[in-house]
Amino acid sequence: MSQQEQPRRPQEPVKYGDVFEVSGELADKTIAPEDANMMQAAETRVFGHTQKGGTAAVMQSAATANKRGGFVQQGDATDVAAEHGVTVAQTDVPGARVTTEFVGGQVVGQYVEPMPVGTTAATDAETLGMNLQSAITIGEALEAAVQTAGNKPVDQSDATAIQAAEVRASGTSDIAPGGIAASARSAANHNATVDRDEDKIKLVDVLAGATGKLQADKAVTRQDAEGVVSAELRNNPYLTIHPGGVAASVTAAARLNEKADI
């Protein structure tokens, strides 16, 4: 085979921004073999196997192409994945289970598994006061965050996201005294002065029973989710959202409402 007939190496590596809807530092990172391995392991822990054509498979294909191009070596990992993690979180919401995959705190994949009303998970949802026959509300989405990130100490990004959620639920920019936004802001300010996580105020302390604490509530829309995500990102030093946290739960609820057209 002549030199002209030799397969040409790709001129550019495959980056996260090429295959996923991510932003900031992560978008410019080359997908590395160890990143893909971490996602495969995370999917296996949750699903019992890797998803066919799913996030791990896409990452593995990209990492293989990057190895062939000489952009990465076996065992390489991006600093964002190594420092901030590759995780898979599940959230039960009315009528469904949402599985969300994160690299460095940014969503790279999401699966929605409908669950019949008669299932245990659906019964649990009814016990929590969530109506399976109607759209998921902002209050219910905030309560869902307690299930996945309830033990997270409240920080400024959480407080701002909760405030954005309360504002959109109430339809007014006024923050209710003693409401969840005011409580979250107070908790974040307190936690900033405390060293030990065990002494800090957690999301569960602020968001438990969120639906009843809101002066008004409404079904989550895509616009609501975008506002909450933007608020959480602006106040996170790494420009990421917390896996299973406030923004992630509101986003999952909005997608389910759109999917169900309710």
Side-chain angles (χ1 to χ4, degrees), residues 176-231:
I180 58 173
S183 297
R185 182 66 64 191
S186 176
N189 291 338
H190 167 79
N191 289 347
T193 68
V194 177
D195 293 328
R196 301 194 311 167
D197 280 356
E198 53 264 40
D199 296 329
K200 294 181 178 181
I201 300 170
K202 310 299 195 298
L203 279 176
V204 64
D205 302 318
V206 175
L207 295 180
T211 301
K213 296 176 183 177
L214 291 171
Q215 290 187 328
D217 204 359
K218 65 182 286 290
V220 184
T221 66
R222 178 192 293 265
Q223 290 73 29
D224 296 327
E226 290 174 350
V228 174
V229 168
S230 176

Side-chain angles (χ1 to χ4, degrees), residues 37-259:
N37 290 339
M38 288 190 284
M39 183 58 78
Q40 286 182 329
E43 282 193 3
T44 300
R45 282 194 299 271
V46 172
F47 298 112
H49 56 83
T50 57
Q51 295 289 91
K52 184 177 181 180
T55 303
V58 171
M59 290 176 65
Q60 189 61 60
S61 296
T64 298
N66 287 338
K67 282 194 296 181
R68 289 174 179 164
F71 301 111
V72 295
Q73 302 296 323
Q74 186 65 35
D76 284 354
T78 64
D79 53 354
V80 174
E83 293 174 15
H84 305 300
V86 173
T87 56
V88 177
Q90 289 189 319
T91 303
D92 288 340
V93 295
R97 171 167 293 163
V98 182
T99 303
T100 309
E101 299 178 309
F102 301 86
V103 174
Q106 293 199 52
V107 176
V108 293
Q110 192 166 66
Y111 308 92
V112 179
E113 177 189 1
M115 294 188 295
V117 173
T119 65
T120 301
T123 303
D124 289 343
E126 289 182 320
T127 301
L128 291 171
M130 295 187 287
N131 188 346
L132 294 174
Q133 305 304 318
S134 61
I136 305 165
T137 68
I138 289 176
E140 290 171 338
L142 293 175
E143 290 177 357
V146 172
Q147 300 178 41
T148 53
N151 290 325
K152 179 186 183 297
V154 180
D155 59 22
Q156 293 297 337
S157 66
D158 300 317
T160 308
I162 291 168
Q163 179 175 323
E166 183 179 78
V167 164
R168 288 179 172 274
S170 66
T172 175
S173 58
D174 295 332
I175 303 303
I180 58 173
S183 297
R185 182 66 64 191
S186 176
N189 291 338
H190 167 79
N191 289 347
T193 68
V194 177
D195 293 328
R196 301 194 311 167
D197 280 356
E198 53 264 40
D199 296 329
K200 294 181 178 181
I201 300 170
K202 310 299 195 298
L203 279 176
V204 64
D205 302 318
V206 175
L207 295 180
T211 301
K213 296 176 183 177
L214 291 171
Q215 290 187 328
D217 204 359
K218 65 182 286 290
V220 184
T221 66
R222 178 192 293 265
Q223 290 73 29
D224 296 327
E226 290 174 350
V228 174
V229 168
S230 176
E232 188 168 319
L233 285 174
R234 283 198 311 270
N235 290 272
N236 186 297
Y238 302 109
L239 295 178
T240 60
I241 63 173
H242 185 77
V246 176
S249 292
V250 174
T251 299
R255 288 177 176 171
L256 280 171
N257 285 348
E258 281 193 344
K259 188 177 181 68

